[in-house]
Amino acid sequence: MLKAKPYLRSIHLKDGYDCESYPFSIPAVANLDNLTFHEDVTFFVGENGSGKSTVLEAIALVMGFSAQGGTKNLDLSDAGGLSGLHEYIKPKKSYEHPKDGYFLRAESFYNVATAMDYYGYLQGYGGRSLHNQSHGESFMATLLHKFKGKGLYLLDEPEAALSPARQLAALVRINDLVEDGSQFIIATHSPILLAYPRAKILIFDSDGLYEVKYEQTEHFAITRDFLNNYQKRLERLFSDELE
Ligand SMILES: Nc1ncnc2c1ncn2[C@@H]1O[C@H](COP(=O)(O)OP(=O)(O)OP(=O)(O)O)[C@@H](O)[C@H]1O
Ligand SMILES: [Mg+2]
């Protein structure tokens, strides 16, 4: 029997794009056709500038969110600089619609918080203005109170605001929501979040876009090596710098 999840099963590229120009000049974007998502969590990883936010934003737009983020009901004007990628993306969706949804992006969360104050939508964020909470507190309030379950959640670097302990708490919340019928797509650099087991990890790099295991990621390897040998690694780093 066909399952309700994933709500967003895959994305496909329409014909007619110019692979020489932005955003298709980004190798991972050129490789987007037929990208399938995990029913629980799909992670986007890769170097800065490899195209993760560009793709997540395009997915958000075709799924009915505004480019700056928030729920589907929030219609903030885009802040300019849209890549146009969404015009070339065809989503393949489940027969069942998600009951809830949110696009959380670190870079424009401030604007969403301002809009929430303006409209007085504070109940869903724990009853307090997001501007009166710290960056990390407001992110956690969103995860804990605003995300209601059975939803499609798109998160761009949620760890940007979170301490390591809060990242562990975020993992617990993500797992609860997954068990309650939610699907996540998360762009991240966090070796803690990436450890989530019910997930598919997609690397964006100069070869394009492909799936890897957690232990194959640089995030895992570099962090583990550094923490196990940080004194030696620092000596090496600084002496290389002096040479
Ligand atoms: N309007 C534009 N024209 C040309 N290139 C652009 C434009 N906007 C963004 N880019 C480039 O597209 C690339 C992908 O950017 P994107 O923000 O998707 O990267 P990212 O993988 O999310 O990086 P990070 O990990 O730093 O968040 C970057 O090299 C960026 O400079
Ligand atoms: Mg980004």
Side-chain angles (χ1 to χ4, degrees):
M1 202 184 80
L2 204 57
K3 291 196 283 188
K5 278 208 300 180
Y7 301 112
L8 176 57
R9 296 189 187 286
S10 56
I11 53 175
H12 304 264
L13 285 182
K14 297 177 190 168
D15 292 334
Y17 58 86
D18 172 9
C19 50
E20 302 290 316
S21 62
Y22 173 80
F24 294 99
S25 51
I26 300 172
V29 175
N31 248 220
L32 269 185
D33 197 27
N34 227 353
L35 182 65
T36 56
F37 296 97
H38 193 281
E39 63 180 288
D40 298 323
V41 178
T42 305
F43 287 113
F44 291 170
V45 299
E47 262 313 317
N48 298 123
S50 58
K52 304 177 300 296
S53 296
T54 304
V55 172
L56 198 61
E57 177 184 277
I59 292 172
L61 287 168
V62 294
M63 296 305 285
F65 297 94
S66 87
Q68 292 209 48
T71 63
K72 287 190 187 180
N73 297 329
L74 186 64
D75 188 15
L76 290 180
S77 64
D78 65 71
L82 287 184
S83 70
L85 177 59
H86 60 287
E87 288 166 19
Y88 291 94
I89 285 186
K90 239 180 351 194
K92 193 166 166 199
K93 302 180 198 172
S94 166
Y95 62 87
E96 185 150 321
H97 293 297
K99 306 271 180 298
D100 189 33
Y102 205 94
F103 177 28
L104 184 74
R105 30 179 2 173
E107 49 199 76
S108 50
F109 194 62
Y110 184 91
N111 300 344
V112 172
T114 303
M116 291 306 106
D117 277 5
Y118 178 77
Y119 293 119
Y121 291 158
L122 299 177
Q123 213 48 44
Y125 292 91
R128 278 171 69 195
S129 163
L130 293 169
H131 287 306
N132 296 340
Q133 305 181 41
S134 80
H135 196 197
E137 285 168 346
S138 61
F139 259 53
M140 275 318 281
T142 305
L143 268 182
L144 292 172
H145 305 294
K146 192 71 191 167
F147 293 16
K148 301 274 194 278
K150 298 183 178 50
L152 173 66
Y153 303 110
L154 311 176
L155 317 182
D156 196 355
E157 296 191 30
E159 74 275 12
L162 301 176
S163 71
R166 284 263 166 89
Q167 291 185 42
L168 298 179
L171 276 178
V172 173
R173 180 64 180 150
I174 288 168
N175 189 51
D176 287 347
L177 288 161
V178 159
E179 292 194 338
D180 187 31
S182 298
Q183 177 190 1
F184 286 81
I185 303 174
I186 306 174
T188 185
H189 294 293
S190 163
I192 294 178
L193 294 184
L194 272 183
Y196 185 68
R198 293 163 68 170
K200 169 178 187 172
I201 300 177
L202 294 168
I203 290 232
F204 287 49
D205 75 8
S206 53
D207 292 330
L209 186 55
Y210 49 96
E211 187 176 352
V212 287
K213 298 252 171 286
Y214 176 52
E215 293 80 2
Q216 295 172 312
T217 62
E218 280 192 348
H219 308 64
F220 174 83
I222 293 178
T223 309
R224 184 173 69 165
D225 173 72
F226 184 78
L227 293 179
N228 284 336
N229 307 287
Y230 69 92
Q231 276 157 333
K232 273 199 223 144
R233 293 293 172 263
L234 287 174
E235 278 167 29
R236 167 82 61 83
L237 277 171
F238 297 152
S239 68
D240 284 354
E241 209 170 74
L242 290 175
E243 275 165 17

